[in-house]
Every structure is written in structure tokens, then in C-alpha cells.
């Protein structure tokens, strides 16, 4: 757990000059210029240049966000900071678990229940109500572009080029507050014990294969004591093989192509050979944080979980790029990516207050408690030195976190990214429905062992085709 984040800490960090050798390559800073010397303004102009008194905000805002154990401490601090600044403003917290998040949000909106400020995403969950584009297409979100143009949110405070990822239809629809994407995490100690070289950015699929095999350990009774990897998803495999699960029209599938076959086979290499946990095994071998799994491809936000586990269990860890598949660059190393933002519904009765609160959460003082958890922010002020100070990183931990930041920004720079959920929508049929069909048939291969991989792919494609025909009314 992080130490409480005080107002004094916030002020100190906001005023500190922070520079990181690691991130300088991603975001070169301008040379400082001499501060202008103060001059005495003519008395006649004093009244005209004196800023107006700030308007006191009053009323109540409904704050809708995802409920998770690691979210609540920064939310609590963000709420406290807001109340200090605007004591006459009330906040009603509606924090909902991810499993119920989109359903409840749509239900509240349809029923006329107020939601003022909401956590949405871009680049992820395309076609889903979690994605800001879903609401933009329904003319339901406040346009934040004027706030950027007026300087309430300064574009120069973000890493160059990165801010464009939050544009949809050439406009901003909220305050950017996090880049989340898939990293290739590994347990250094397990690699060292097995005498296997650590993963590097140059790794390919074959390197992952060999490491998974070498790091998997079984007892005399044949039961697994340590898994080499959590494996890979068949969706990652398809992209890295040079394919795309969905056609350009967003209504057709490409899951029977040679590239798709390679992606399914890559998934099967780990699950079918016993190098990755399945079914009930995932309860004991849930991931890198158990200390009994060598590799896990997971979000860069897992830093805090892995850090705590490494302290509790005594192991070292790091992150790097996804291993390259046989497809063309840059998608041959692609992992999923998404961009979080705080948005405001147009239906709010307090647009000025809601806008101010969204800016507080993602850009102003309220952005600090969230970034202090180790989440990767697009704001330049949250660099490696910042994380080292607020999280009290040791020298080894600073190196570990540097590998996480470096992976994130290298992926962004090189284009090693793909959508978490491909865009596929036909009336009420979406990508989640298609993925469920394929997962169901693939489980019959590795868990039930009732059919071959080729049979599973063929049957799943037939089921998906029927689902599409039904969705179109055919």
C-alpha cells in the first residue's frame, strides 16, 4: 500500500522540477528561458488586469467510476481534495464493479438518473458503452475541446504526440488520465534459477516457447509445481501473425484465415502442452504475483500488484515488449491498449462544476493520487523521478518501474498496439458474443478434450456465421 498522500506532498510535487533520463527520449524538454523581470503596471490598468474573484461552486455532482480495491484509496484522496477546494459542492459516489459497469451506466442513463462525471475509455471496448465514442455518437457527451483551446487544460503538459490518442472526430471528450496497455512481465528469479536468459525487446515467439518449456516444473507425481507462462490469447496471436479478427466493415469476421490459424495455434502451444494453467489450475497459479509463474502478458497497471507480491514473496520482476510473431511490423509485437478519460454527460445540471471536477481528477491536483499508485499518465510531470519519490521506490524498484514505463512508451512510439476488443457490431451482436463462441469451442479442446483444434475452429466459425445471420434477420 502507498503511504497517505497529503496536501503538503501534492504541493511539493507540483512545484518540484522533475527530469527523467528514461522519459527524456520520449518527451524532450525545452531549455529553460530566463524569467521575465517584473515591471510596474500603470495605475489605470490595475483594475482591468486584476483577475475576478473565483465563483463559488455549489450543488451536487454524481461521480460514476469503476469500483476496485486499488481504485478506492486514490478516489478517497481525490474526493477529499475537491471538498477542500469547494466545500459547498457535494459528491455522490456511484462506484460500480467492472462486471456491472456498462449495464448499470446504460440503465441509469436510459432511466433519467443523473450521471455528471464518468470514467470512460477510448481505443478499448469499441462499440461498447464504456467507450466514449458510444456516447459521442448519441450526442451525449460534453465537448472538452474548448477547455483545451482556452488553456484550462494545457496541451504542452502532455507527452508529444500522445494526446492525439484521446481525439475522436478531431475533438476531446474528456480529461485524459491514463494509458493502459499490455506488457510482457517476467519473474527474474525463476529465469535465473532455470538458467534461462531474461526476455528482451528482441524476443520472438520461439523464445517464449523455449522459456515456457524450461520454466515449467512438475513433481514426481506429474503435477505442475510451477508454470512457465500464463500463455497468450488467440487474439494477440492473430494480430501478431499479421491478421485481423474483423473485417474493415466491422460486420464480417476473418477467423478462418491462415493468419487466424497461426494465432489459434500459438494459443494452443501453451495451453495444449501444459505450459500455462487452465481451469481450476488458475486458482492456484493465478499469475506472476503468485511467485509460481514465470511469464504473464498483462496490463502495465499491474505494477502495484506485482510490486506488493515481490515484497511479500521475495522475488524480482521486470517488463518488456511482447515477443514478435511472424506477421509484419509493427503489429507483430502488438498488445492491447486503451486510454482512460473523465467525461461529462451533457445532461448534467451543473456543466461548469462537472467540467471543473473532471479537470481536477485527470489534470489538476486530483490527478496526483491516481498517478501515485503507479498508473502510467500521459502528463509529463509524472515521470520516473515522480514515481520514485511518491512511491518510495528502492533502487531495484526504480529499475523495475523504468522497464514498465519504457515498455509503455516504446509500444506507443513503435505502434505495437492493437484494440482490446475489435470493433464488431451488428445490431445487438458484438465482439464479446463472438469471442464467447470461440472460447467455448476452444475450451472443449484443452479442458474437455472432446475435439481437436481444427474441429473447434471450424465449429466456432459456423456458429459465428449463424449468429451473424440471425443478427441481420436472415
Amino acid at each position: 500500500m502507498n503511504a497517505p498522500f497529503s496536501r503538503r506532498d501534492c504541493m511539493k510535487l507540483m512545484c518540484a522540477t522533475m527530469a527523467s533520463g528514461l522519459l527524456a527520449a520520449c518527451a524532450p524538454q525545452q531549455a529553460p528561458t530566463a524569467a521575465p523581470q517584473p515591471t510596474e503596471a500603470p495605475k489605470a490598468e490595475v483594475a482591468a488586469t486584476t483577475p475576478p474573484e473565483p465563483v463559488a461552486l455549489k450543488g451536487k455532482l454524481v461521480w460514476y467510476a469503476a469500483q476496485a480495491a486499488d481504485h478506492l484509496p486514490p478516489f478517497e484522496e481525490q474526493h477529499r481534495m475537491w471538498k477542500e477546494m469547494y466545500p459547498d459542492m457535494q459528491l455522490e459516489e456511484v462506484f460500480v464493479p467492472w462486471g456491472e459497469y456498462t449495464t448499470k451506466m446504460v440503465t441509469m442513463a436510459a432511466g433519467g438518473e443523473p450521471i455528471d462525471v464518468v470514467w470512460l475509455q477510448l481505443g478499448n471496448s469499441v462499440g461498447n458503452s464504456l467507450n466514449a465514442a458510444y456516447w459521442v455518437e448519441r450526442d451525449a457527451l460534453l465537448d472538452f475541446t474548448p477547455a483545451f483551446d482556452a488553456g484550462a487544460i494545457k496541451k504542452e503538459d502532455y507527452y508529444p504526440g500522445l494526446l492525439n490518442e484521446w481525439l475522436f472526430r478531431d475533438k476531446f471528450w474528456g480529461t485524459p488520465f491514463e494509458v493502459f496497455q499490455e506488457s510482457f512481465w517476467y519473474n527474474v528469479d525463476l529465469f535465473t534459477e532455470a538458467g534461462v536468459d531474461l526476455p528482451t525487446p528482441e524476443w520472438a515467439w520461439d523464445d517464449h516457447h523455449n522459456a515456457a518449456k524450461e520454466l515449467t516444473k512438475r513433481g514426481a507425481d506429474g503435477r505442475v509445481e510451477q508454470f512457465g507462462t500464463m500463455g497468450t490469447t488467440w487474439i494477440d496471436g492473430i494480430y501478431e501473425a499479421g491478421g485481423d479478427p474483423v473485417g474493415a466493415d466491422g460486420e464480417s469476421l476473418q477467423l478462418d484465415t491462415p493468419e487466424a490459424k497461426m494465432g489459434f495455434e500459438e494459443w494452443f502451444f501453451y495451453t495444449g502442452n501444459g505450459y500455462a494453467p487452465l481451469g481450476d489450475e488458475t486458482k492456484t497459479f493465478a499469475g506472476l504475483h503468485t511467485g509460481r509463474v514465470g511469464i504473464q502478458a498483462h496490463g502495465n497497471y499491474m505494477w502495484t500488484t506485482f510490486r506488493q507480491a515481490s515484497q511479500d514473496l521475495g522475488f524480482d520482476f521486470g517488463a518488456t515488449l511482447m515477443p514478435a510473431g511472424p506477421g509484419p511490423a509493427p503489429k507483430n509485437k502488438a498488445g492491447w491498449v486503451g486510454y482512460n478519460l473523465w467525461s461529462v454527460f451533457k445532461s448534467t445540471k451543473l456543466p461548469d462544476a462537472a467540467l471543473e471536477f473532471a479537470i481536477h481528477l485527470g489534470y489538476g491536483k486530483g490527478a496526483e493520487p491516481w498517478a501515485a499508485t503507479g498508473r502510467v499518465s500521459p502528463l509529463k510531470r509524472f515521470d520516473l523521478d515522480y514515481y520514485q519519490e511518491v512511491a518510495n521506490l528502492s533502487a531495484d524498484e526504480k529499475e523495475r518501474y523504468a522497464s514498465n514505463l519504457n515498455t509503455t512508451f516504446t509500444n506507443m512510439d513503435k505502434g505495437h498496439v492493437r484494440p482490446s476488443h475489435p470493433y464488431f457490431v451488428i445490431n445487438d451482436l458484438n465482439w464479446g458474443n463472438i469471442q464467447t463462441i470461440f472460447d467455448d469451442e476452444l475450451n472443449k479442446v484443452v479442458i474437455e478434450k472432446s475435439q481437436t483444434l481444427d474441429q473447434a475452429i471450424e465449429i466456432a466459425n459456423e456458429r459465428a456465421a449463424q449468429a451473424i445471420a440471425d443478427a441481420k434477420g436472415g
Side-chain angles (χ1 to χ4, degrees):
M1 296 291 293
N2 294 314
F5 199 79
S6 69
R7 179 180 176 86
R8 179 179 299 177
D9 292 331
C10 289
M11 295 305 296
K12 178 177 70 172
L13 290 168
M14 291 178 71
C15 297
T17 300
M18 297 176 286
S20 165
L22 168 68
L23 296 181
C26 300
Q29 299 183 0
Q30 297 180 347
T33 57
Q37 296 299 313
T39 57
E40 184 176 353
K43 294 184 184 298
E45 296 182 11
V46 171
T49 57
T50 300
E53 288 294 322
V55 177
L57 298 179
K58 296 181 179 181
K60 184 178 78 170
L61 295 174
V62 176
W63 178 16
Y64 192 95
Q67 177 181 305
D70 60 333
H71 297 174
L72 297 181
F75 285 171
E76 181 180 348
E77 184 64 12
Q78 289 171 322
H79 191 153
R80 185 196 64 77
M81 289 176 167
W82 176 256
K83 290 297 291 183
E84 275 195 356
M85 293 187 294
Y86 302 107
D88 294 329
M89 281 296 308
Q90 299 178 20
L91 285 178
E92 178 183 338
E93 299 173 346
V94 181
F95 298 158
V96 183
W98 280 121
E100 308 166 19
Y101 192 82
T102 55
T103 301
K104 184 173 180 63
M105 176 167 49
V106 171
T107 300
M108 288 181 65
E113 294 184 65
I115 297 178
D116 298 295
V117 177
V118 58
W119 176 347
L120 296 177
Q121 298 178 350
L122 282 169
N124 182 46
S125 299
V126 179
N128 186 287
S129 59
L130 178 58
N131 192 290
Y134 175 94
W135 299 104
V136 174
E137 290 166 353
R138 289 158 175 77
D139 194 28
L141 292 186
L142 191 70
D143 181 4
F144 275 58
T145 310
F148 280 89
D149 292 343
I153 307 174
K154 295 181 172 59
K155 295 179 181 179
E156 60 268 25
D157 288 343
Y158 294 86
Y159 289 108
L162 189 55
L163 196 58
N164 291 338
E165 303 296 341
W166 276 269
L167 286 171
F168 179 70
R169 295 182 178 172
D170 297 322
K171 293 182 178 181
F172 294 104
W173 301 98
T175 308
F177 73 94
E178 182 184 356
V179 180
F180 62 95
Q181 64 178 229
E182 192 172 18
S183 296
F184 195 72
W185 297 93
Y186 54 89
N187 183 315
V188 172
D189 291 13
L190 298 189
F191 271 83
T192 302
E193 291 169 6
V196 179
D197 291 338
L198 295 177
T200 70
E202 289 72 39
W203 262 31
W205 278 6
D206 284 347
D207 297 298
H208 189 187
H209 293 176
N210 295 334
K213 181 177 179 180
E214 294 297 323
L215 267 62
T216 298
K217 292 183 178 180
R218 288 179 169 81
D221 59 358
R223 299 183 63 167
V224 175
E225 298 175 345
Q226 172 184 299
F227 277 103
T229 182
M230 293 299 289
T232 190
T233 67
W234 52 268
I235 305 175
D236 272 343
I238 291 173
Y239 280 106
E240 292 167 3
D244 191 319
V246 177
D249 60 0
E251 296 187 358
S252 59
L253 297 178
Q254 300 178 144
L255 294 170
D256 56 356
T257 64
E259 293 83 5
K261 179 70 178 300
M262 285 189 283
F264 287 119
E265 289 174 342
E266 178 67 4
W267 165 85
F268 182 72
F269 177 85
Y270 306 105
T271 55
N273 289 307
Y275 302 140
L278 290 168
D280 290 342
E281 292 172 333
T282 59
K283 297 177 182 178
T284 302
F285 304 94
L288 199 81
H289 58 284
T290 65
R292 301 173 67 185
V293 175
I295 296 168
Q296 184 175 15
H298 208 320
N300 54 6
Y301 50 77
M302 291 299 292
W303 154 258
T304 303
T305 297
F306 294 157
R307 181 195 185 197
Q308 186 61 55
S310 74
Q311 294 172 344
D312 295 341
L313 301 177
F315 66 85
D316 195 4
F317 68 97
T320 189
L321 308 183
M322 299 287 285
K331 298 297 184 186
N332 63 333
K333 296 178 75 68
W336 47 257
V337 67
Y339 311 95
N340 283 328
L341 65 160
W342 291 110
S343 299
V344 174
F345 277 115
K346 274 187 173 181
S347 56
T348 180
K349 298 291 195 297
L350 299 169
D352 291 342
L355 176 66
E356 184 69 19
F357 184 54
I359 293 174
H360 163 75
L361 292 174
Y363 176 79
K365 290 175 62 177
E368 268 113 22
W370 186 260
T373 66
R375 305 282 183 137
V376 178
S377 170
L379 286 164
K380 290 189 291 187
R381 74 181 192 263
F382 301 132
D383 61 9
L384 185 59
D385 290 338
Y386 170 86
Y387 291 115
Q388 182 181 28
E389 184 172 358
V390 299
N392 193 28
L393 304 183
S394 66
D396 287 343
E397 287 178 328
K398 184 176 182 179
E399 184 176 347
R400 295 171 193 164
Y401 195 76
S403 72
N404 185 34
L405 285 181
N406 188 49
T407 296
T408 297
F409 285 102
T410 299
N411 281 333
M412 299 296 301
D413 181 55
K414 301 294 185 181
H416 300 318
V417 295
R418 57 94 171 167
S420 176
H421 296 80
Y423 182 74
F424 177 87
V425 178
I426 303 176
N427 296 322
D428 292 333
L429 185 69
N430 58 42
W431 174 253
N433 304 127
I434 300 299
Q435 183 172 341
T436 297
I437 290 173
F438 277 82
D439 286 344
D440 179 46
E441 296 302 330
L442 293 171
N443 282 337
K444 294 175 183 177
V445 178
V446 294
I447 296 179
E448 299 177 17
K449 301 186 185 301
S450 60
Q451 60 189 15
T452 67
L453 180 63
D454 286 343
Q455 289 172 331
I457 297 171
E458 181 179 357
I459 294 171
N461 271 297
E462 291 174 354
R463 288 179 58 189
Q466 185 60 55
I468 291 174
D470 293 342
K472 290 181 176 180

